[in-house]
Amino acid sequence: MKITAEQHDFCASMNLDSVRIPKHVAIIMDGNGRWASERGQERVFGHMNGINSVRASVEAALRIGVRHLTLYAFSTENWSRPQEEVDALMDLLVSTLVKEVKDLESKGVRLRTIGDLTSLPVECQDQIAKSKESTKHLDSLDLILALSYSSKWELVEATKQLMKSGIDPDALEASHIDQYLATFGIPDPELMIRTSGEHRISNFMLWQLAYAEFHFTPVLWPDFGQDNFYEAVRDFQNRSRRFGGLLDTNHTMSKQG
Ligand code: IPE
Ligand code: IPE
Ligand code: MG
């Protein structure tokens, strides 16, 4: 889908090059707990406020023409948190989907997921299925929630499938592995953002981030707004991307228009 005149003008007003908007941005939304404790509140308060930043990121992605936005919402390792926090996160997921799905629909957002959904409570699975069904025809933005996701889980699952497929090991290529990943059909993220000042990827998209640019910000997730999103994309546009060669593909792309 081509960028609209409105998106082009908006990018220009934000000092962004509309030709070099990353197609896929992935975010490790981190720092909700710290945000809440800074305010003397329970961790769940931070998760609730983090929803505003999800909304802001979706809005920003739509305004500048990002096509895929992946949000790391719950990792395989997050199951080890206190049951009370896990339950609160699952409830928040259901209530947010119920509240927001109409708005997502009206904006042309298609909901997708990656992760082991079978491990989620049934009410979550049902609400996710309904929300996916009602948005499946939309194509302005793919909002991909990583739920009960970890990269090692995904790679183990892919390996099981590959072994069952009976493929000749000597014929194995990277594209065969791609086919069995939860992200099959989705282009790899060009930009990965992590909030809260942590500099690690916590078992997130290890394969898909092979050549992504990383933007780390100290901003805690509930404080992350549209301007922080545009700032990350500006940072991305200032990087030189060579993919092991010598040519700066990021900047030549702009000149080709
Ligand atoms: C991110 O915030 C949300 C999830 C991982 C579900 P955290 O809950 O990790 O907040 P901090 O990192 O403890 O501040
Ligand atoms: C990563 O954040 C997972 C999500 C954002 C869902 P964590 O807070 O769980 O990661 P660590 O424990 O700091 O690595
Ligand atoms: Mg954290």
Side-chain angles (χ1 to χ4, degrees):
M1 200 162 51
K2 274 196 68 165
I3 196 138
T4 65
E6 203 181 339
Q7 284 166 333
H8 175 84
D9 292 349
F10 184 73
C11 285
S13 75
M14 285 291 138
N15 208 8
L16 290 169
D17 180 350
S18 62
V19 177
R20 291 183 293 123
I21 296 299
K23 287 189 187 63
H24 186 173
V25 176
I27 310 183
I28 302 181
M29 313 183 282
D30 199 15
N32 294 351
R34 278 163 281 171
W35 188 90
S37 17
E38 278 176 5
R39 286 159 181 76
Q41 301 275 353
E42 300 288 318
R43 296 177 55 81
V44 181
F45 183 67
H47 298 316
M48 282 159 57
N49 279 276
I51 305 295
N52 296 329
S53 305
V54 170
R55 240 183 256 115
S57 301
V58 167
E59 199 58 42
L62 284 164
R63 290 186 91 172
I64 64 174
V66 168
R67 298 302 315 283
H68 309 272
L69 175 66
T70 298
L71 301 179
Y72 201 9
F74 194 87
S75 73
T76 308
E77 289 76 18
N78 289 149
W79 290 114
S80 70
R81 292 192 180 194
Q83 193 58 44
E84 196 183 278
E85 181 171 349
V86 170
D87 290 346
L89 280 165
M90 295 300 147
D91 288 349
L92 193 60
L93 173 64
V94 175
S95 60
T96 306
L97 283 177
V98 169
K99 258 191 259 159
E100 306 281 335
V101 74
K102 281 273 166 275
D103 194 47
L104 292 178
E105 248 182 281
S106 69
K107 290 178 170 147
V109 179
R110 175 183 175 192
L111 183 79
R112 302 174 75 164
T113 55
I114 52 173
D116 180 14
L117 291 192
T118 60
S119 62
L120 298 182
V122 193
E123 315 82 74
C124 286
Q125 295 185 37
D126 289 350
Q127 190 51 49
I128 291 164
K130 273 190 213 153
S131 307
K132 279 183 179 172
E133 182 61 27
S134 60
T135 59
K136 69 177 185 200
H137 56 292
L138 300 168
D139 66 358
S140 295
L141 172 71
D142 271 359
L143 173 61
I144 304 151
L145 298 182
L147 290 167
S148 191
Y149 172 88
S150 79
S151 201
K152 289 194 178 186
W153 163 82
E154 179 185 42
L155 287 165
V156 167
E157 289 305 307
T159 308
K160 284 185 200 164
Q161 296 303 321
L162 268 167
M163 290 174 86
K164 285 183 197 159
S165 76
I167 188 168
D168 170 5
D170 290 325
L172 190 68
E173 291 181 10
S175 62
H176 296 122
I177 296 173
D178 280 328
Q179 277 175 34
Y180 289 102
L181 297 178
T183 48
F184 179 53
I186 302 168
D188 287 345
E190 293 110 305
L191 169 63
M192 192 287 287
I193 302 170
R194 182 169 189 152
T195 59
S196 88
E198 306 295 354
H199 295 174
R200 55 175 171 265
I201 56 176
S202 303
N203 213 349
F204 183 54
M205 291 188 141
L206 303 177
W207 174 272
Q208 296 89 339
L209 294 176
Y211 259 109
E213 298 298 325
F214 289 4
H215 175 86
F216 296 105
T217 168
V219 172
L220 301 176
W221 180 248
D223 287 330
F224 189 87
Q226 287 195 44
D227 285 342
N228 301 107
F229 193 99
Y230 305 134
E231 186 191 327
V233 176
R234 256 190 314 271
D235 183 21
F236 165 83
Q237 294 192 338
N238 286 326
R239 303 281 176 90
S240 162
R241 306 191 77 209
R242 295 182 293 274
F243 300 95
L246 298 177
L247 199 67
D248 176 356
T249 57
N250 205 3
H251 291 89
T252 40
M253 200 170 123
S254 172
K255 290 193 192 85
Q256 283 160 359

